[in-house]
Amino acid sequence: MGRATIRDVARLAGVSPSTVSRVLNGKDAGHMRPETKERVLAAIKALDYTPAKAARTLRKKKTGVIAILLPDISNPFFSLLARGVAAVAFEHGLSTLICDSDNSEDKENRYWDLLRAEGVDGVVFVPVGRPDETKAHRLRRRGVDIVVADRRVEGYPTVEADNRTGSASLASHLLSLGYRRIAYLAGPPDVSSAMDRLEGFLEALRGAGVEPVAVLHGDFTYRSGYVLAHRLFSRRHDVEAIVAANDLMAIGALRAAEDLNISVPNQVGIAGFDHVLPADLVRPRLTTVAVPAYEIGEEAMRRLLRGDNSAERRVLPVKLIPGESTPPRGGDSSGEEARRNRPRDKS
Amino acid sequence: MGRATIRDVARLAGVSPSTVSRVLNGKDAGHMRPETKERVLAAIKALDYTPAKAARTLRKKKTGVIAILLPDISNPFFSLLARGVAAVAFEHGLSTLICDSDNSEDKENRYWDLLRAEGVDGVVFVPVGRPDETKAHRLRRRGVDIVVADRRVEGYPTVEADNRTGSASLASHLLSLGYRRIAYLAGPPDVSSAMDRLEGFLEALRGAGVEPVAVLHGDFTYRSGYVLAHRLFSRRHDVEAIVAANDLMAIGALRAAEDLNISVPNQVGIAGFDHVLPADLVRPRLTTVAVPAYEIGEEAMRRLLRGDNSAERRVLPVKLIPGESTPPRGGDSSGEEARRNRPRDKS
DNA sequence: TTGAAAGCGCTAACAG
DNA sequence: CTGTTAGCGCTTTCAA
């Protein structure tokens, strides 16, 4: 019933606990009689022995556990990122504790306390907003490495996507297709990736002498995309395209248009960011920018393993994915597709 | 640098370690001088002390960690279920270790070993296929509770959805709408929920004297739905409806139809199961059956907390969600919607 | 090449 | 009401 201990194994093998420990830890390099080792191994198998991690942790002050603290595991972008982290961790014999802060800074802070008590060896952190750095700092001071993923936090190693460039290329793409009256549904102002996307977009637009017809801030959820687009459509009737800071918001906008009998892409074009699965499932297929979520997770975990604590930013490239939701429009585009009718619907 | 210990706190507060421990564990019920407690609390704060979990675990033989072992965290159904588990666990001060077996029985088995070493207090288990019960049994023999979620494993407590009834009601729904030539895209034969859905469906069909035109097995992924439907369409041209064992496969079928220029729902109706977010995002909106994934997770975790080890099955109700992907067709339906043209496309 | 002994940080009798 | 003591299961000097 009660699990076997190292002493049980030692007794059965007729050796001392230290010897068993040495076998367990591969500290028998060369200088251990093969026969002794055999006996120990046999005893381990006979008793179905597994070393208690807690005891080992207590001695070594290493838990073999890393955590990933993120805002919402049911968001496909984050679950992909988490998979990337876990895969690399698993390869290196580390366990992954997934902590879902549920988009709440309060819960996030409670998780920091938990992680501290748990004694995790490292944390991949996707902050909810502008994080209360003190919590993270305290852990860090105790020698726990922290790598921030997908977003930026001052003074921390970061692995993120090239949001600025990607967003700029999306803007150029739309401009080249003939879109001019463009509204932007941004993410939360305190999230770096959201702001990078917004700024990259505006910069490219302004570089071409174009001003957005509106910039509204949401919170990256499907719901907020729907609400913002709905509001926008009821206020303005001249929008040619809506660009959202992520795919879920873009899909929300798509649904809002649908509910208002505004045809996409005939009357209005829509684009997103991330290239998560739903962006491909939706019709018209979303024009978006592919962000390598899984790879961001992998790279963040690798930095953790490397103990790379420099505040350096690692930026992964992104890729424009043209979809059917933004067909060519107006006069100056290449226009290989037949022009759709684009009557403007009043109200 | 090195974290403070209980002795440091005791020294600073001028008390013994046991007193600090008592404060920490709320074992001061009534009989502790308030002033003493104050001093301890002050010392704890002054030293920014957090008890080391490893040491506590070593003594109490409880880690305060539960695990959820599942096939794919990036599947929206499972990530929702995981959230339900984690939410209840968090409420009770337990940490959740999410283990993603990546649909591989081998990885699943390696995770069992890890969980054993980790000394988790309980496991919510969504098996990949028909699980190698020996691994789970060994843990169980050590007093670790295991609750199986979403699927059934002989001899284990189970929390699942009423797949059979839900699938039967979906079948009846389609029959009442006038569908007769129906193909079924099933899940893996060794997964109980897949088989329950299949059997419930066939039973209802046969109860009405109808035989399915085909039954093909896939693996619950979007991809397999696409492939199977593609194959089906190229072999038969008389299918009136495709019903898939889950929404992702149904969406795959939707895309296959699209790629073959078969109009949904005009030429063929499509239905799924689960009611995950993508089912609502897709157009036509999918007819499906809502499965309470989050609640399954919550209930599984609650059983774990209760130590309810009986092999009893807890079955949660599901709900038919009619969508636009299966409009009324043929003669015997109520037909509140205008009939669509339904020419059969050859090739 | 192996064993003995000390102790990681905490909790739980048992005293007082 | 509080302190003393004895480990939990493991690793790691230090000796032999």
Side-chain angles (χ1 to χ4, degrees):
Chain A
M1 187 72 219
R3 51 196 286 176
T5 78
I6 200 172
R7 302 173 68 102
D8 299 327
V9 176
R11 201 172 310 130
L12 181 58
V15 300
S16 78
S18 351
T19 302
V20 177
S21 173
R22 282 190 265 263
V23 172
L24 251 27
N25 294 283
K27 299 248 154 81
D28 56 316
H31 43 236
M32 181 178 289
R33 215 178 319 152
E35 179 212 311
T36 310
K37 188 171 177 179
E38 286 308 322
R39 284 218 311 284
V40 171
L41 257 18
I44 288 176
K45 183 172 293 177
L47 295 175
D48 187 24
Y49 166 76
T50 323
K53 262 197 124 188
R56 183 174 279 180
T57 297
L58 192 55
R59 276 298 319 224
K60 310 225 274 204
K61 275 124 176 26
K62 282 281 167 207
T63 53
V65 175
I66 65 96
I68 167 162
L69 177 50
L70 46 72
D72 177 7
I73 190 64
S74 69
N75 178 320
F77 182 84
F78 294 132
S79 66
L80 217 73
L81 196 154
R83 283 202 126 197
V85 172
V88 174
F90 190 77
E91 275 170 23
H92 292 261
L94 297 172
S95 317
T96 307
L97 197 58
I98 301 188
C99 305
D100 185 334
S101 57
D102 203 6
N103 270 304
S104 139
E105 301 208 21
D106 177 53
K107 238 182 168 184
E108 186 175 281
N109 279 328
R110 284 157 74 199
Y111 266 119
W112 279 119
D113 293 337
L114 187 146
L115 294 181
R116 207 154 75 109
E118 208 71 55
V120 295
D121 293 341
V123 181
V124 173
F125 180 31
V126 186
V128 163
R130 202 177 296 291
D132 175 2
E133 302 189 24
T134 60
K135 291 277 187 185
H137 274 334
R138 290 219 302 235
L139 252 201
R140 223 181 176 196
R141 230 185 301 292
R142 294 196 171 178
V144 176
D145 290 342
I146 297 174
V147 174
V148 176
D150 178 54
R151 301 168 176 193
R152 237 174 303 121
V153 175
E154 221 42 64
Y156 282 82
T158 298
V159 179
E160 58 185 326
D162 194 351
N163 293 303
R164 224 186 157 89
T165 306
S167 202
S169 74
L170 177 59
S172 306
H173 180 64
L174 292 182
L175 289 171
S176 81
L177 289 173
Y179 292 89
R180 288 295 174 276
R181 309 199 56 75
I182 304 175
Y184 193 86
L185 305 188
D190 53 358
V191 172
S192 71
S193 57
M195 292 316 280
D196 288 351
R197 289 172 191 186
L198 173 58
E199 286 162 14
F201 196 84
L202 294 184
E203 210 169 273
L205 232 50
R206 287 172 183 152
V210 174
E211 275 295 316
V213 298
V215 173
L216 304 174
H217 284 271
D219 67 359
F220 278 148
T221 61
Y222 166 74
R223 181 100 219 115
S224 87
Y226 182 92
V227 170
L228 291 180
H230 206 285
R231 190 180 313 156
L232 185 71
F233 285 133
S234 59
R235 283 206 309 238
R236 313 198 47 132
H237 305 279
D238 60 344
V239 179
E240 293 171 354
I242 292 190
V243 177
N246 75 345
D247 290 338
L248 291 184
M249 285 178 77
I251 295 175
L254 203 61
R255 292 311 161 224
E258 176 182 83
D259 287 354
L260 292 169
N261 273 311
I262 298 172
S263 154
V264 177
N266 295 346
Q267 292 171 263
V268 63
I270 290 187
F273 212 105
D274 279 349
H275 197 220
V276 291
L277 181 60
D280 262 351
L281 298 184
V282 130
R283 289 299 177 274
R285 220 181 298 256
L286 226 50
T287 291
T288 185
V289 177
V291 176
Y294 191 89
E295 288 76 11
I296 290 178
E298 287 184 314
E299 180 57 20
M301 187 60 219
R302 276 192 228 104
R303 280 192 84 167
L304 216 48
L305 288 168
R306 257 186 257 127
D308 176 358
N309 254 310
S310 62
E312 186 204 339
R313 292 170 54 192
R314 169 102 60 275
V315 179
L316 303 191
V318 301
K319 184 165 179 291
L320 180 70
I321 310 284
E324 304 138 1
S325 65
T326 56
R329 103 173 257 131
D332 58 8
S333 65
S334 55
E336 64 277 33
E337 275 187 51
R339 288 290 178 285
R340 271 94 160 181
N341 58 322
R342 35 181 163 62
R344 213 121 286 288
D345 161 293
K346 294 294 170 197
S347 164
Chain B
M1 187 72 217
R3 53 195 286 175
T5 78
I6 200 171
R7 303 172 68 102
D8 299 327
V9 176
R11 200 172 311 128
L12 181 58
V15 299
S16 78
S18 358
T19 301
V20 178
S21 174
R22 281 191 266 264
V23 172
L24 250 28
N25 294 283
K27 298 248 156 71
D28 55 316
H31 43 237
M32 181 178 287
R33 216 182 316 154
E35 179 214 311
T36 311
K37 188 170 176 179
E38 286 308 323
R39 283 219 312 284
V40 172
L41 257 17
I44 288 176
K45 184 172 292 178
L47 294 175
D48 188 25
Y49 166 76
T50 322
K53 260 199 123 188
R56 185 174 276 181
T57 296
L58 194 55
R59 277 296 321 217
K60 309 226 275 202
K61 273 122 180 27
K62 283 282 166 203
T63 53
V65 175
I66 65 98
I68 168 163
L69 178 49
L70 46 72
D72 178 7
I73 190 65
S74 68
N75 177 320
F77 182 85
F78 294 131
S79 66
L80 217 73
L81 194 154
R83 283 202 126 197
V85 172
V88 173
F90 190 77
E91 276 170 23
H92 292 262
L94 298 171
S95 317
T96 307
L97 197 59
I98 301 188
C99 305
D100 186 333
S101 57
D102 203 7
N103 270 306
S104 138
E105 301 207 22
D106 177 53
K107 237 181 169 187
E108 187 175 280
N109 279 327
R110 282 157 74 200
Y111 266 120
W112 279 118
D113 293 337
L114 186 147
L115 294 182
R116 206 153 74 108
E118 207 72 54
V120 295
D121 292 342
V123 182
V124 173
F125 180 33
V126 185
V128 162
R130 202 179 296 291
D132 176 1
E133 302 190 24
T134 61
K135 291 277 187 185
H137 276 335
R138 290 221 300 236
L139 252 203
R140 226 186 173 192
R141 232 186 299 292
R142 294 196 172 179
V144 177
D145 290 342
I146 298 174
V147 174
V148 176
D150 180 55
R151 301 169 177 193
R152 238 175 301 122
V153 175
E154 222 42 64
Y156 282 80
T158 299
V159 179
E160 57 185 328
D162 194 352
N163 293 302
R164 224 186 157 90
T165 306
S167 203
S169 74
L170 177 58
S172 305
H173 180 65
L174 292 181
L175 288 172
S176 80
L177 289 173
Y179 292 90
R180 287 297 176 274
R181 308 198 58 75
I182 304 175
Y184 193 86
L185 306 188
D190 54 357
V191 172
S192 70
S193 57
M195 291 316 278
D196 289 351
R197 288 172 191 186
L198 172 59
E199 287 162 14
F201 196 85
L202 294 184
E203 211 170 273
L205 231 50
R206 288 173 182 152
V210 175
E211 275 295 315
V213 299
V215 172
L216 305 174
H217 285 270
D219 67 359
F220 279 148
T221 61
Y222 166 75
R223 182 100 219 115
S224 87
Y226 183 93
V227 170
L228 291 180
H230 207 284
R231 190 180 312 156
L232 186 71
F233 284 132
S234 58
R235 282 207 310 237
R236 313 199 46 134
H237 305 281
D238 59 345
V239 179
E240 295 171 355
I242 292 190
V243 177
N246 74 346
D247 290 337
L248 291 184
M249 285 178 76
I251 296 174
L254 202 62
R255 292 310 160 228
E258 176 181 83
D259 286 355
L260 292 169
N261 272 311
I262 299 172
S263 152
V264 177
N266 296 345
Q267 293 171 261
V268 62
I270 290 187
F273 212 103
D274 280 348
H275 196 219
V276 292
L277 181 61
D280 263 351
L281 298 183
V282 128
R283 291 297 177 273
R285 218 184 298 256
L286 226 49
T287 292
T288 185
V289 176
V291 176
Y294 191 89
E295 287 77 12
I296 290 178
E298 287 184 313
E299 180 57 21
M301 188 60 219
R302 275 193 229 104
R303 281 191 82 167
L304 217 48
L305 288 168
R306 257 186 258 126
D308 177 358
N309 254 311
S310 61
E312 189 203 337
R313 293 169 54 192
R314 168 101 60 272
V315 179
L316 303 191
V318 301
K319 185 164 179 291
L320 179 71
I321 310 285
E324 305 139 0
S325 65
T326 56
R329 110 175 246 129
D332 57 10
S333 65
S334 55
E336 63 276 32
E337 275 189 50
R339 290 290 176 286
R340 270 93 161 182
N341 60 321
R342 35 179 164 62
R344 213 123 284 291
D345 162 291
K346 294 294 169 197
S347 163

